[in-house]
Amino acid sequence: MDPTTSLKSLLLAINQFKNNKSAPNATQLQRQIDDVSGLKCPRLFASTQVLPSECLSGLVELAGDPNTSTALAGKIVAFLSQLASDDEAREALHSSYNLASTLASVLHCNSASPREPIVLQCIHILQRITYGVKMFHSTAYMDELIGFLMHHIQCPNDDLTMPCLGLMANLCRYNLSIQAHIKSASNLKAFYRTLISFLAHNSLTVVVFALSILTSLTLNEEVGEKLFHAKNIHQTFQLIFNIIVNGDGTLTRKYAVDLLVDLLRNPKIAGYLSRYEHFVLCLTQVLGLLHGKDPDSTAKVLELLVSLCSVSSLRRILCQTVFRPSGAQSKCSLRKDSHSRAPEPAVALVHWASLPLEGPESCSLQALQLLSELFEEVIDSGLSSTVQPFVDLLLPVLLSLLQTPEQLLSEQLAKRNCARTARAVDVLLVLCGEESLKLFVSQRLTENVCVSQIEYLFSSSRIDTGFDCPVAESDLSRAGAEVVLKVLDLMSRVRQLVRDMETSFFRILQDQRLITPLSLALTSDHREQVQTALKILFEAAPLPDFPVIVLGESIAANNAYRQREAEYSMRRNLAQDQHPLLAKPCSSPSSSPSQQSIQNLIEKLQTGMEFREQIKDVRISDIMDVYEQKISALASKESRLQDLLEAKALALAQADRLIAQYRCQRAQAEAEARKLASLLKEAERRKEELEAVLGSQTQEARRAEADIQQLLQHNAKLQAVAEEHQALRGSYSDVVQRFNECDKMLKDLQAAHNSLNKQFEALKKQNENLRQQQDKVLAELAEKGDELKELSSNVEEKEKKISGLLQTIQALEEKAKQREKEKEDMEETIEILRKELHKTELARKELSIKASSLELQKSQLEIRLQKKEEELNKHSHMIAMIHSLSSGKLKADSVSLSL
């Protein structure tokens, strides 16, 4: 079915139901709503057409009417929920039809039965239309809505808990009035306890909703200091990054990103995040999300990365992480293909920046903005050479974005094209901030790209229409004017490096069409546009054909138009406050009044359409006041056009004056030409006189040239000597450095040598002590041996009894021989130690081990000797008797006692 026919039928059914709220009319209206829902054209209701606007106004009014049945209200709410899925329609529902107040009244009327499906539908629509939008506390039923949300958030095991948390997070964000109202509640502490308990919930969506509300309410208060303390803030960071990377869906990821962006606004928490030990790992995981295919998730990730760039320390870390080559890429770094050397996150940014116009707009714009921030950090850090492979990959993409479209674009796509082109030019301007990158850009950029882009913007953005169109109220014209100035700024920076760029730049500066972009930028509220316009103006003002007077008149006309628009807006607001019934049916989604819509309303009044039914309680004089205000707005526009026409007339007068000045200058030039002819004859005469002088001077010049050649040869010799001197200085510095290193090593070796000498002296003293002890033991053993020899000569008869003692003595004798051999080894070792000082430590360890074994053997021998002496003392009496009886001597080798 035709959309226009369906909308007319829907409007007729709405009017019939308003006149007679019967069941058949309600059924008919529901049927018409189903038919319009089947059209699936939400952008139609976001347009400025009158018929869709009247249908939406009627539906919103019926949804907020307490007398409307629950079934019909649910059908209307479901239809509005379908419209709210489109961004433009959602914005129109919020800004033009005050849908939030209507849905809040529906919730208030059905608060006694929260299990009704319409309640959950209203909360979902409110959560969708209030996301990223600031709500005023003065909105109707706002207090009741907040109370409803706080009640159901604190109710355990409630199906409305999660959507109520999401809606409360939207309302609290950046809204001090609503935050103050919540903080003034009597059950605030219980509400805080409930939110804190949700932080341990098994659903990540509930966790991020609760944490977002706590952040909005307590970030700068005592509760927030405890909640986001330095001791547990790292756990909060880990939780948020886990939600972003492993969230339950796009909605959860959006709120997690918004939460982290809100936390970054606090300088203390931003500092905590820069010192977070796992930040680089988390950032790498977040950058990995850029390889996903969901544009909504990617848009939020890019928004987070752009927010991180607002903190200098975080921007530095982000830049290092983005441009850090991966392991696989570093292995391929020897390949000639520059694409293989570009880091993966940067390649993903290039992919999202190069999306077509029909794709998601926010992804492309935010990717380009992030690239601008990253390149600014690269230039500030002096690391431009490290990103040249990536710039080589990025420049063709940026230049392709500057190409003019081949076909005519709609107004919406034209706005997108202007916004994307502006961001692409911003990236190029940042690259031109460093000389090496600027040279890199100038090698790829051509004069034709810039000129064709400016010509396309002049024609497609309605900038070249002269003074017959009010461009000040056109968003497309403002966007096109901004891009024109940025492209001119880019041309100004590279005009000396690109062929024919300077000529085209000065030609465009003298173009009459440049007046409109300059006047719009100079009267803009944006600081960057004003600064760019002033730069261009300083370049253009000295040019002879630049229309300065026309520019002044255009600026004055824009200022006057703004003043009249402000006065008209004030009168319109006062009129709407005085006649609230007129405000709703006559409201339009467009921000400025449309002559076409006024003409349609006049035609409806003339043809007798049922217009009186909607405003039957309003007097005709009130209607006339509204139209008088609209006519006055048209009159203000007409006066502005008159001002522009006067400015054009002044420009023509200035042109006439310039023509007269040209004629006068031409006459002066002819007189000067005649004077120059006489001077030329005089110059020829002087030329002949100077030719003779020139001959002599030529000879002198030849002699001077020969002298110069000699000087050049001498200079070359001096240059060679200077280079040799420079090389010698370099080698001298190397030798000095090596000498210092050798001196340092010598001192270290001397210190080691001294320490080794001290250790050797200590070992020598210890060895002397051991030798003295050994000599003493040997002397004692010799004495004991003599005594035993004398005794053994008398005990031959007792030889069998002491055979065991003899065997023991023989074993001791063998050990003594071994010890004698060990003594010789020790002497040899000492001689080796004297010759080889670098092996002293090893010899000391061996000597200590051997000395310890000798000490052990000595102690064992002393014990055995004591035992033997005791045994010999027992037999002393017998030995004495034997000695008295025998007079012969024992054989010297019969008994040998030693230890």
Side-chain angles (χ1 to χ4, degrees):
M1 185 182 293
D2 184 24
T4 303
T5 305
S6 299
L7 291 176
K8 288 181 179 179
S9 301
L10 177 61
L11 182 60
L12 180 61
I14 291 172
N15 292 328
Q16 290 178 352
F17 182 77
K18 285 182 179 179
N19 294 330
N20 184 12
K21 297 182 179 181
S22 60
N25 289 339
T27 303
Q28 179 65 22
L29 179 57
Q30 293 182 24
R31 188 180 301 110
Q32 294 299 327
I33 292 175
D34 292 335
D35 294 340
V36 176
S37 300
L39 297 177
K40 296 182 180 180
C41 50
R43 293 187 181 274
L44 179 63
F45 293 91
S47 62
T48 58
Q49 299 179 15
V50 177
L51 187 58
S53 176
E54 290 180 351
C55 291
L56 277 183
S57 299
L59 291 176
V60 171
E61 182 182 356
L62 290 178
D65 190 355
N67 298 323
T68 304
S69 62
T70 305
L72 179 58
K75 181 68 69 173
I76 295 174
V77 170
F79 174 67
L80 296 176
S81 177
Q82 178 183 346
L83 293 181
S85 59
D86 181 73
D87 294 336
E88 294 183 4
R90 179 171 63 249
E91 183 180 356
L93 287 172
H94 173 70
S95 60
S96 302
Y97 301 100
N98 198 16
L99 182 60
S101 178
T102 302
L103 295 177
S105 66
V106 173
L107 285 176
H108 178 65
C109 295
N110 294 275
S111 59
S113 55
R115 301 298 178 185
E116 291 291 334
I118 190 175
V119 175
L120 187 59
Q121 288 179 345
C122 289
I123 295 177
H124 281 303
I125 300 177
L126 281 172
Q127 182 181 356
R128 192 174 298 173
I129 66 174
T130 58
Y131 177 75
V133 177
K134 184 176 181 180
M135 295 293 297
F136 294 101
H137 183 252
S138 58
T139 305
Y141 297 101
M142 182 56 66
D143 293 343
E144 291 81 359
L145 176 60
I146 295 174
F148 177 86
L149 295 177
M150 292 181 68
H151 171 71
H152 285 279
I153 287 174
Q154 297 180 77
C155 291
N157 300 323
D158 195 342
D159 295 337
L160 298 177
T161 300
M162 183 181 293
C164 287
L165 282 170
L167 179 55
M168 180 66 82
N170 292 345
L171 296 178
C172 293
R173 193 182 185 203
Y174 305 151
N175 200 323
L176 296 178
S177 59
I178 292 181
Q179 292 175 14
H181 177 75
I182 295 174
K183 293 176 185 178
S184 63
S186 58
N187 59 342
L188 180 63
K189 292 184 179 180
F191 183 62
Y192 281 167
R193 286 194 294 269
T194 304
L195 291 177
I196 293 173
S197 66
F198 282 141
L199 298 181
H201 201 273
N202 54 3
S203 174
L204 295 178
T205 307
V206 174
V207 173
V208 73
F209 284 163
L211 195 56
S212 178
I213 298 171
L214 287 171
T215 301
S216 300
L217 295 177
T218 67
L219 184 59
N220 298 318
E221 296 184 358
E222 183 178 358
V223 179
E225 291 291 336
K226 296 179 181 179
L227 186 61
F228 301 103
H229 194 266
K231 295 180 180 180
N232 55 6
I233 190 64
H234 292 172
Q235 299 176 359
T236 305
F237 289 150
Q238 188 63 47
L239 174 63
I240 295 174
F241 279 113
N242 285 338
I243 294 174
I244 293 175
V245 177
N246 305 314
D248 297 339
T250 304
L251 180 65
T252 307
R253 183 167 294 157
K254 282 184 177 181
Y255 280 88
V257 169
D258 293 338
L259 173 59
L260 189 54
V261 170
D262 295 343
L263 291 176
L264 288 176
R265 293 176 179 269
N266 191 315
K268 184 184 296 185
I269 297 181
Y272 291 152
L273 182 58
S274 63
R275 295 187 296 271
Y276 178 43
E277 59 180 351
H278 302 298
F279 176 64
V280 176
L281 177 61
C282 296
L283 190 58
T284 304
Q285 294 176 348
V286 172
L287 289 172
L289 297 175
L290 295 177
H291 299 285
K293 297 182 179 180
D294 184 11
D296 293 335
S297 297
T298 305
K300 295 307 294 184
V301 172
L302 291 172
E303 180 183 347
L304 172 60
L305 297 177
V306 172
S307 299
L308 291 176
C309 292
S310 62
V311 183
S312 59
S313 58
L314 298 179
R315 185 173 77 166
R316 187 179 307 109
I317 298 174
L318 175 61
C319 181
Q320 295 172 356
T321 307
V322 170
F323 293 115
R324 179 182 60 202
S326 61
Q329 292 164 343
S330 61
K331 293 179 182 178
C332 302
S333 60
L334 298 177
R335 297 168 63 183
K336 295 183 179 180
D337 188 8
S338 62
H339 295 201
S340 63
R341 298 196 298 269
E344 292 182 358
V347 175
L349 288 178
V350 174
H351 165 70
W352 289 109
S354 60
L355 291 178
L357 283 177
E358 294 77 9
E361 180 184 12
S362 58
C363 291
S364 178
L365 297 181
Q366 289 179 354
L368 291 171
Q369 184 179 356
L370 180 58
L371 287 173
S372 300
E373 296 283 349
L374 294 177
F375 282 126
E376 286 182 2
E377 180 60 32
V378 167
I379 294 174
D380 294 341
S381 303
L383 302 176
S384 304
S385 59
T386 60
V387 298
Q388 285 189 358
F390 173 65
V391 175
D392 191 18
L393 170 65
L394 177 63
L395 278 179
V397 177
L398 295 178
L399 295 179
S400 66
L401 297 180
L402 294 181
Q403 297 293 332
T404 57
E406 298 179 356
Q407 56 185 359
L408 186 62
L409 301 177
S410 62
E411 183 174 358
Q412 182 181 4
L413 290 180
K415 290 180 183 178
R416 287 189 176 186
N417 182 50
C418 289
R420 190 179 66 173
T421 305
R423 293 288 174 85
V425 176
D426 286 338
V427 178
L428 292 175
L429 290 173
V430 172
L431 292 175
C432 291
E434 202 274 334
E435 290 300 326
S436 61
L437 296 178
K438 179 179 178 180
L439 183 61
F440 215 60
V441 172
S442 62
Q443 293 174 353
R444 297 293 187 91
L445 188 64
T446 60
E447 172 264 347
N448 186 31
V449 172
C450 298
V451 173
S452 60
Q453 181 64 230
I454 291 178
E455 291 293 337
Y456 171 76
L457 291 171
F458 277 149
S459 59
S460 64
S461 302
R462 298 193 293 272
I463 300 178
D464 61 344
T465 53
F467 295 99
D468 58 348
C469 179
V471 295
E473 60 184 49
S474 173
D475 295 335
L476 179 59
S477 300
R478 287 189 174 276
E482 179 183 0
V483 179
V484 167
L485 295 182
K486 288 187 176 183
V487 175
L488 286 174
D489 190 10
L490 177 62
M491 294 175 67
S492 175
R493 297 193 185 190
V494 299
R495 63 186 182 185
Q496 301 293 340
L497 303 174
V498 180
R499 182 180 179 183
D500 298 333
M501 184 68 79
E502 188 171 13
T503 304
S504 301
F505 175 68
F506 287 118
R507 177 174 56 81
I508 295 174
L509 290 184
Q510 301 178 79
D511 197 329
Q512 189 82 13
R513 296 173 295 180
L514 188 60
I515 296 302
T516 299
L518 281 176
S519 62
L520 290 177
L522 290 172
T523 57
S524 174
D525 299 333
H526 300 284
R527 179 175 56 189
E528 293 80 5
Q529 294 185 19
V530 177
Q531 292 175 353
T532 305
L534 289 175
K535 291 179 184 178
I536 302 302
L537 183 60
F538 289 155
E539 295 279 354
L543 299 178
D545 294 336
F546 181 71
V548 180
I549 297 178
V550 180
L551 176 61
E553 294 296 332
S554 179
I555 293 174
N558 283 336
N559 291 334
Y561 175 76
R562 284 191 170 201
Q563 184 178 1
R564 292 193 184 97
E565 280 293 316
E567 293 175 355
Y568 167 71
S569 298
M570 187 180 298
R571 291 197 301 267
R572 182 175 58 185
N573 293 334
L574 291 175
Q576 289 180 356
D577 292 338
Q578 293 174 0
H579 307 288
L581 293 176
L582 288 176
K584 196 169 187 178
C586 295
S587 63
S588 174
S590 177
S591 59
S592 61
S594 175
Q595 185 176 3
Q596 183 178 2
S597 61
I598 295 174
Q599 186 65 30
N600 291 335
L601 290 175
I602 294 174
E603 290 176 1
K604 289 180 182 180
L605 288 174
Q606 291 177 351
T607 55
M609 187 178 180
E610 297 178 355
F611 185 78
R612 292 176 178 268
E613 295 177 1
Q614 299 183 20
I615 51 175
K616 57 185 178 181
D617 296 332
V618 184
R619 294 176 299 177
I620 298 299
S621 60
D622 296 335
I623 299 175
M624 297 304 295
D625 290 340
V626 174
Y627 288 114
E628 285 177 359
Q629 292 173 6
K630 296 183 179 296
I631 292 171
S632 65
L634 294 176
S636 65
K637 289 185 179 180
E638 183 181 2
S639 63
R640 179 179 178 276
L641 291 176
Q642 186 66 30
D643 293 339
L644 294 175
L645 183 61
E646 293 175 0
K648 186 67 175 180
L650 288 174
L652 292 175
Q654 183 186 13
D656 292 337
R657 287 195 299 270
L658 291 175
I659 291 171
Q661 292 176 2
Y662 170 72
R663 291 174 180 174
C664 181
Q665 291 175 358
R666 182 178 179 181
Q668 294 176 356
E670 291 177 354
E672 291 178 355
R674 288 191 296 268
K675 184 177 179 180
L676 289 174
S678 62
L679 292 175
L680 179 61
K681 293 179 181 180
E682 182 68 19
E684 290 178 353
R685 185 182 61 79
R686 292 187 61 189
K687 173 187 173 184
E688 294 175 354
E689 295 176 355
L690 293 174
E691 281 180 353
V693 181
L694 180 62
S696 61
Q697 290 182 352
T698 303
Q699 294 178 357
E700 294 179 359
R702 290 174 181 173
R703 289 194 295 269
E705 186 176 358
D707 295 338
I708 289 171
Q709 291 294 333
Q710 294 178 358
L711 291 174
L712 289 175
Q713 293 176 0
H714 184 64
N715 189 18
K717 294 179 180 179
L718 292 177
Q719 186 69 25
V721 172
E723 292 177 355
E724 184 179 359
H725 176 69
Q726 189 69 23
L728 290 175
R729 286 183 63 185
S731 61
Y732 172 74
S733 61
D734 294 338
V735 170
V736 169
Q737 184 177 1
R738 290 175 59 189
F739 172 75
N740 293 331
E741 293 177 355
C742 292
D743 191 16
K744 184 177 179 182
M745 292 174 63
L746 178 60
K747 291 179 181 179
D748 294 338
L749 291 174
Q750 287 177 352
H753 178 71
N754 294 331
S755 62
L756 290 174
N757 283 334
K758 291 179 182 179
Q759 293 176 4
F760 173 73
E761 292 296 333
L763 289 173
K764 186 176 180 181
K765 291 179 182 179
Q766 187 178 2
N767 190 21
E768 290 295 335
N769 294 331
L770 291 173
R771 181 179 294 174
Q772 291 175 2
Q773 293 176 2
Q774 184 182 9
D775 293 339
K776 185 178 179 180
V777 171
L778 290 174
E780 292 176 355
L781 288 175
E783 293 176 358
K784 298 294 182 181
D786 294 337
E787 293 177 359
L788 288 175
K789 285 178 182 180
E790 293 177 357
L791 292 173
S792 62
S793 63
N794 299 323
V795 292
E796 285 182 355
E797 296 178 358
K798 302 296 181 180
E799 195 172 8
K800 294 180 181 180
K801 296 181 181 179
I802 60 174
S803 59
L805 179 62
L806 292 174
Q807 292 177 358
T808 304
I809 292 171
Q810 290 177 358
L812 292 174
E813 190 176 347
E814 292 177 357
K815 291 181 180 179
K817 291 180 180 180
Q818 291 178 358
R819 194 174 69 176
E820 186 68 20
K821 185 178 180 179
E822 289 175 358
K823 184 184 75 170
E824 293 175 357
D825 295 336
M826 289 173 60
E827 290 177 354
E828 292 177 359
T829 304
I830 291 171
E831 291 297 328
I832 294 173
L833 286 174
R834 289 175 180 174
K835 295 178 181 179
E836 299 178 359
L837 291 176
H838 63 280
K839 297 181 180 180
T840 304
E841 185 66 25
L842 180 61
R844 185 187 64 81
K845 292 181 180 180
E846 293 176 358
L847 286 174
S848 62
I849 293 171
K850 292 178 181 179
S852 62
S853 64
L854 289 174
E855 286 292 336
L856 180 60
Q857 292 176 6
K858 172 190 169 186
S859 61
Q860 292 176 355
L861 287 174
E862 287 177 351
I863 293 171
R864 290 178 181 177
L865 283 174
Q866 289 177 1
K867 291 181 180 180
K868 299 304 177 181
E869 286 177 357
E870 290 175 358
E871 291 179 0
L872 291 175
N873 288 330
K874 292 179 183 179
H875 300 287
S876 60
H877 182 68
M878 184 183 295
I879 293 172
M881 291 174 65
I882 294 171
H883 185 271
S884 63
L885 293 176
S886 86
S887 59
K889 295 183 179 179
L890 296 175
K891 295 181 180 180
D893 56 351
S894 62
V895 178
S896 179
L897 295 175
S898 62
L899 294 176

